[in-house]
Amino acid sequence: MPQGDYIELHRKRHGYRLDHFERKRKKEAREVHKHSERAQKSLGIKGKMIAKKNYKEKVQMKRTLKMHEESSSRRKVDDEVQEGAVPAYLLDRETTTRAKILSNTIKQKRKEKAGKWEVPLPKVRPVAEDEMFKVLRSGKRKTKQWKRMVTKATFVGPGFTRKPPKYERFIRPSGLRFTKAHVTHPELKCTFNLEIIGVKKNPNGPMYTSLGVMTKGTIIEVNVSELGLVTPGGKVVWGKYAQVTNNPENDGCINAVLLV
Amino acid sequence: MAQYDFKKITVVPTGNDLIDIVLSRTQRQTPTVIHKGNAISRVRQFYMRKVKFTETNFTDKLSKTIEDFPRVEDIHPFYGDLLHVLYNKDHYKLALGQLNTARNLIKRIREDYVKLLKYGDSLYRCKSLKRAALGRMCTVTKRIGPSLAYLEHVRQHMARLPSINTGAPTILICGCPNVGKSSFLNKITRADVEVQPYAFTTKSLFVGHTDYKYLRYQVIDTPGLLDRPLEDRNIIEMCSVTALVNLHAAILFFLDLSGSCGYSISQQAALFHSIKMMFRNNPVLIVCNKTDLQTLEGLSGEDLKLVMEMKSAALKTIPGQGGEAANDQDVLLTMSTITDEGVMAVKNAACQRLLDQRSERKMKSKKMPTVLNRFHVAMPKPRDQKERPVCIPQAVLEARAEEAAHEERKTEKDIENENGGAGVYSASLRKHYILADDDWKLDILPEFLDGHNVYDFIDPDILQRVEELEREETAVEEDGGDFEMEDEDFTAEAEKDLQEIRKRKKLLIQKHRIKKSTAESRPTVPRKFDKDRKFTTERMGRQLSSLGIDPSRAIERARSRSVSRKGRKRERSVGGDGEDVMEIDGGLDNKKKLRLRSRSMSVLSQRPLGEVVPGEGFKDSAQKMKAVTMARNATKKRNKDARRGEADRVIPTLRPKHLFSGKRSIGKTDRR
């Protein structure tokens, strides 16, 4: 025992107090009541936090109990039907198989032509123009109102230069420009921080698409070279589409789901 | 040459705790109310403040931790190596590095979100941004949770390390396990180290302090070393190796001559030779312990040869840096910790060697000449060759000789030991009582008599008091006797009159006594508590007439001087409340009131106020007077409030109107 462990040394030499164990037991027994008193008497945010913690514990306890109960009850046994199992009256028939296999790339090309994608968020709330733009007054007497500032998250490409300030109608402030998105792979269930290559389509209109505004539901193209995906032909995939799933202007970041 | 204090490191909270602390701080110390209707700049400012505040708190707490923990490179190499051995320097540095990165990340989050908040155009948007910012900071903190837990663990262990002053003179004890190092430490210092027969009882460094020639020496006890290559050593052995290598100290290498530690002399010699290069310039002493089991002379030939080899090796390690042994004897010493022989000699030898070396080093250092210049020891020049020895008077010498020959006085402790020891013999405390008659020494005093404690009534002048009492009683008896003699002559009527007279007399005495009491000690019942409206002029009139005095003038005067609450008009009707004089109710039916107002009067206790009565608990008269004064002072205030005692907390009017009503000419009246 190190020299600094006074408590253990004293215990080793002199043992415990005569009433030590009894006091300890009683103190622990009293803890339950104290816990409940604290939970009942706390007010405000502290009370809410305690209640939340207690609720979580209660749920956990209920789950465990249910699990234990499950093992003791009896259940009906289902005979599982195997895939491809054929009923008796169909036996002795030759089943035909479709041999045509279309590759993924062709399918995607077809979809692109049709202009339709299978997306996780098919419908999004439309964003009005006055929500999207803020009117900026300009001119000597601040009466001209033809300038607009974008209030949502935007993406501008790497080679972007502003138009001369006198002529630019839509201002995309640099504080609202994003270059990276947190993209989740739906099957792998993990999230990567990937660079945005461009904005493909904004459901609110082609103007927003051309401006590069990213709202909820926008399809963007991200750089997936990190993931190391390879086409069946052996080429490295480095760009894929993803759909934005949050409101970037409210959260300060772009969360998207990869469209596979 | 600092004394490191690792106890001052602040407690490192766990990840979740840190989050709770910072978030609850933000909630408490920033404004909490903001409305949708407020100006947007105010809304933005409100939320930006919260983000900034949270970031500041996180940064502060993390910075405090990072700065409190010592940096392994900046501290003394002994502690640096010790920290490495105990906690793994890399892991330690990584943990601190993670805290640093977390701090930077949090700073960056704050900058980003404050920038975004500037574009917030609605309350909802600003609120979501603030929520996102705080959430991200908390996630970062959650991720460093394991590092925080590790650092807390390290801090707790570090705080309990023995405080070793790396610059103080130190003696280091090393050797094989079970050789007797810890028992030696226990003998020369007050360190109470565990000594057990199994090996590796000592598992870490222990420090004790001892004095030699007015200097304080540190003695460090190390865990035992086994003869292994350095890479194979475990943490416990590495502690002692660290101490050996980094500390400048006198090294005592302990040798067990009897081999009862489990290692033969050849094994111990091998260990010595393998670690001797760690000794460098430190003075080395080889101490042979357990001589009660096996003496140095009684060793066999080869063993003796091994020991001599070690001794010569030890001599060699002191090339010229000072600390050279004055003689051979100083390098090889024998002792036994059980019988205590040679222990002090070893300590003195070690301390002396170290002292010599340190003083030589100091002399050779660059600072010495600057200091030496300021010293000058003046030696008087002898004027002739006459010898002048010490002069002690003859009487002193004789007295000294007598004292030496004088036998030691037998103490009570000796008597106790003779008669069986502490539990068996109980010393008779009565032996030395000083009493008038020596026969009384062994008398047994009774403790209780008639339900009283006898000791409460024991008084040195008790006989005197008894005489006084007897005298009083005889006096009273005589008086009573007079009355009783004449009692037969009284008729029934006269008897009744006598009783009447006596009653009156008692009343008068009581009244007089009450009057005598000062205003401050007499409780005054203020008028407003006279709820029963007993103090009326009618009553006064009745009582005055019963005394035989015409009350009309008194009543007039009282009525003219007082103003009733309801106005004077009322007074003409049935006697209103016109008095402000408190009347004493005559007659014994209001005994209760009397008792409230007057001091308790017991006729029998006619003692003077400051006299000390045994049994009351006062030391002397002054103390009693002080107590009486204190009691009086306490009751004064209460009496002024017409409170019956300490426990009387009646508030006659709970909400006095003058305090609870009214308008203010300026300001608000939402608090009174």
Side-chain angles (χ1 to χ4, degrees), chain A residues 135-158:
Chain A
V135 179
L136 288 182
R137 287 170 175 262
S138 56
K140 199 172 184 189
R141 294 193 175 75
K142 303 280 177 207
T143 47
K144 301 194 183 180
Q145 292 185 33
W146 53 273
K147 280 187 183 240
R148 299 280 183 276
M149 181 174 86
V150 177
T151 58
K152 306 275 180 191
T154 56
F155 172 76
V156 295

Side-chain angles (χ1 to χ4, degrees), chain A residues 149-195:
Chain A
M149 181 174 86
V150 177
T151 58
K152 306 275 180 191
T154 56
F155 172 76
V156 295
F160 174 74
T161 26
R162 293 164 57 187
K163 283 215 313 236
K166 187 167 176 181
Y167 298 108
E168 73 180 337
R169 177 131 60 115
F170 294 106
I171 297 172
R172 286 167 276 188
S174 59
L176 288 174
R177 292 183 201 163
F178 288 91
T179 48
K180 286 194 157 203
H182 305 307
V183 183
T184 313
H185 195 292
E187 265 125 56
L188 300 174
K189 304 275 187 229
C190 47
T191 315
F192 305 95
N193 201 10
L194 305 173
E195 260 186 40

Side-chain angles (χ1 to χ4, degrees), chain A residues 1-6 8-9 12-13 45 49 149 151 173-176 178 182 249-253, chain B residues 7 20 27 113 116 119 121 124-125 128-129 132 136 160 162 191-194 201 203-207:
Chain A
M1 192 185 314
Q3 196 171 18
D5 276 350
Y6 317 110
E8 274 90 34
L9 192 64
K12 197 166 177 184
R13 288 196 179 150
I45 191 144
M49 287 174 73
M149 181 174 86
T151 58
S174 59
L176 288 174
F178 288 91
H182 305 307
E249 70 275 5
N250 283 349
D251 296 330
C253 58
Chain B
K7 297 189 215 284
D20 280 341
Q27 196 250 336
Y113 276 86
L116 276 170
Y119 293 105
D121 50 6
Y124 178 72
R125 190 158 155 186
S128 315
L129 283 168
R136 272 185 134 165
R160 286 165 180 237
D192 222 350
V193 180
E194 257 197 273
T201 316
K203 290 193 258 284
S204 64
L205 300 175
F206 281 84
V207 180

